[in-house]
Amino acid sequence: MWDTKQTDFKITNTPYGKDVIAMLAESCRKKDFPLCIYYSVPDMYCKYFPNSGKGYDYKTPQPGDEPDAGKYVEFVKAQVRELCTNYGRINGFWWDINSDRYGIYDESVNELVRSLQPGIIINDRGFDNKGDFETPERTGISHAPVKFYRKPTEHCNSIGEQSWGYRKNEDYFSVGQLTKTIDESFAKDGNYLLNVGPKPDGTFPDEAVSILGKIGKWYGKVKESFIGTQPASELTDNGDVLLTKKGNTLYVHLPGINSSGVTLDPIDVRPRKAVVLNTGDELKFDVELVPWPSLKTGKKYLHLWNIPVDRLANEAVVLKLEFDSLPLKK
């Protein structure tokens, strides 16, 4: 995608003929927008790359190939120098497809990136395990095992189930699935990267535009539960719930909700007010015995019900609870 001097397999040798990275870098500078470079670790067209059928390469070396991991790393470093010196300020370097699947580990690659672009952030998919942030990909709604991310995290996903680029007759994720995974990631104090593959003419497919609009509408309704808040899921033992907090307000995130009520054990304090953030509808609530988990403890807990779960089946549900004093876990 740039006018590299390391190979003839480049965009400037196509009929299009333009250096896309140069154009992108210039546009970012004009808008004062941070530029992040994506680089795929395997390059099946480089004769030094050890093609071995690991999923992103040829099954075996091709005619003329000279597989050599050391020489391949030097090839990558030469391209890194081009990217990090010819296009101005680079704010992030996003490796894809970890090199460890090919048995290549070399800390000097990221060291070179950092030396050429001080202050740059690098993800965890490169030639070593010393990235600045983690990048879980295409994971579903897995809120129960982990209450919050312990390391800086960017959850990445594509709007299309089958492809990260443009694909005719693409299978698109539902708005419900996407908003629920976005909600889960944000509630765990993570970032979310959502990819849309443009059509050959550079425009976005109508289906993708429609989905993005619906996600934006949902986010506009619930964004106060993310902006300026802190993860607070430790306040409840309910594994199906994620919490964020701000002042004396508790936000209840329900990416996996499948019923019209939820119990926030061990919280046993009534809020002053409880609403569904998506709609503004007031919730019913009480501190009472609930078959589960009260059956095990004999204690009363905060129970919220009347959640319009069917009406909101296609978006992540967030509740807003206002307390006189935020309850702490005992």
Side-chain angles (χ1 to χ4, degrees):
M1 300 302 288
W2 78 99
D3 190 26
T4 179
K5 300 300 186 291
Q6 311 309 317
T7 177
D8 291 332
F9 187 77
K10 56 185 178 178
I11 196 167
T12 49
N13 282 345
T14 69
Y16 182 69
K18 299 177 184 178
D19 187 327
V20 171
I21 298 298
M23 297 162 64
L24 178 61
E26 178 61 23
S27 295
C28 287
R29 278 193 294 273
K30 288 181 178 178
K31 299 293 184 179
D32 193 26
F33 194 86
L35 174 63
C36 182
I37 296 293
Y38 169 99
Y39 192 107
S40 175
V41 168
D43 182 349
M44 66 177 71
Y45 297 103
C46 177
K47 67 179 182 179
Y48 300 126
F49 184 75
N51 284 297
S52 52
K54 295 295 195 303
Y56 297 90
D57 55 335
Y58 292 120
K59 291 184 178 180
T60 59
Q62 300 300 291
D65 278 1
E66 302 173 16
D68 187 312
K71 289 183 179 180
Y72 182 67
V73 169
E74 291 307 310
F75 166 81
V76 171
K77 289 169 72 173
Q79 291 200 320
V80 164
R81 289 189 187 94
E82 292 178 339
L83 290 168
C84 290
T85 58
N86 296 343
Y87 300 97
R89 175 64 179 150
I90 308 296
N91 297 82
F93 211 97
W94 213 98
W95 299 103
D96 201 9
I97 312 165
N98 304 60
S99 67
D100 56 3
R101 72 169 61 199
Y102 301 101
I104 305 174
Y105 187 92
D106 194 319
E107 294 183 6
S108 70
V109 181
N110 275 343
E111 289 173 355
L112 176 62
V113 174
R114 291 191 170 97
S115 70
L116 296 172
Q117 290 284 344
I120 195 172
I121 59 170
I122 304 174
N123 75 339
D124 62 343
R125 301 189 180 196
F127 288 80
D128 62 42
N129 57 7
K130 297 183 179 181
D132 300 308
F133 61 99
E134 298 182 340
T135 54
E137 178 175 331
R138 287 196 182 278
T139 55
I141 304 166
S142 55
H143 49 286
V146 179
K147 290 289 189 179
F148 60 91
Y149 296 126
R150 298 185 180 279
K151 295 181 179 180
T153 299
E154 180 181 74
H155 182 154
C156 56
N157 199 2
S158 179
I159 202 168
E161 183 182 28
Q162 297 291 335
S163 176
W164 289 81
Y166 172 71
R167 174 179 174 268
K168 188 177 180 180
N169 301 326
E170 179 61 279
D171 303 323
Y172 291 97
F173 284 115
S174 69
V175 173
Q177 172 69 8
L178 293 171
T179 59
K180 289 167 186 177
T181 54
I182 292 170
D183 179 64
E184 176 187 352
S185 181
F186 285 178
K188 293 179 180 180
D189 201 25
N191 189 23
Y192 196 93
L193 181 156
L194 182 58
N195 171 80
V196 180
K199 296 189 295 184
D201 64 0
T203 63
F204 289 141
D206 291 341
E207 300 94 327
V209 172
S210 175
I211 291 170
L212 290 174
K214 291 173 182 176
I215 292 174
K217 185 176 180 180
W218 164 81
Y219 180 75
K221 294 184 292 186
V222 303
K223 64 182 179 181
E224 71 170 81
S225 68
F226 306 124
I227 298 174
T229 63
Q230 295 176 305
S233 298
E234 74 280 357
L235 296 178
T236 181
D237 293 331
N238 188 335
D240 294 325
V241 171
L242 292 167
L243 303 175
T244 55
K245 65 181 180 180
K246 179 165 50 181
N248 289 327
T249 299
L250 197 64
Y251 298 97
V252 184
H253 301 265
L254 304 169
I257 187 172
N258 53 22
S259 74
S260 61
V262 63
T263 302
L264 300 182
D265 55 302
I267 296 175
D268 57 4
V269 179
R270 290 168 55 91
R272 287 190 293 105
K273 184 177 181 181
V275 299
V276 180
L277 202 54
N278 308 59
T279 63
D281 292 349
E282 291 194 8
L283 286 166
K284 295 180 179 180
F285 56 87
D286 201 357
V287 174
E288 60 182 354
L289 291 172
V290 183
W292 183 262
S294 299
L295 185 64
K296 294 180 65 177
T297 66
K299 296 181 180 180
K300 297 180 179 181
Y301 301 112
L302 177 59
H303 175 217
L304 305 144
W305 71 97
N306 199 39
I307 302 171
V309 61
D310 288 326
R311 180 151 54 104
L312 298 176
N314 204 35
E315 62 185 76
V317 178
V318 183
L319 313 179
K320 179 181 180 180
L321 312 182
E322 298 178 32
F323 293 88
D324 291 322
S325 178
L326 198 63
L328 301 177
K329 191 171 182 179
K330 299 177 182 178

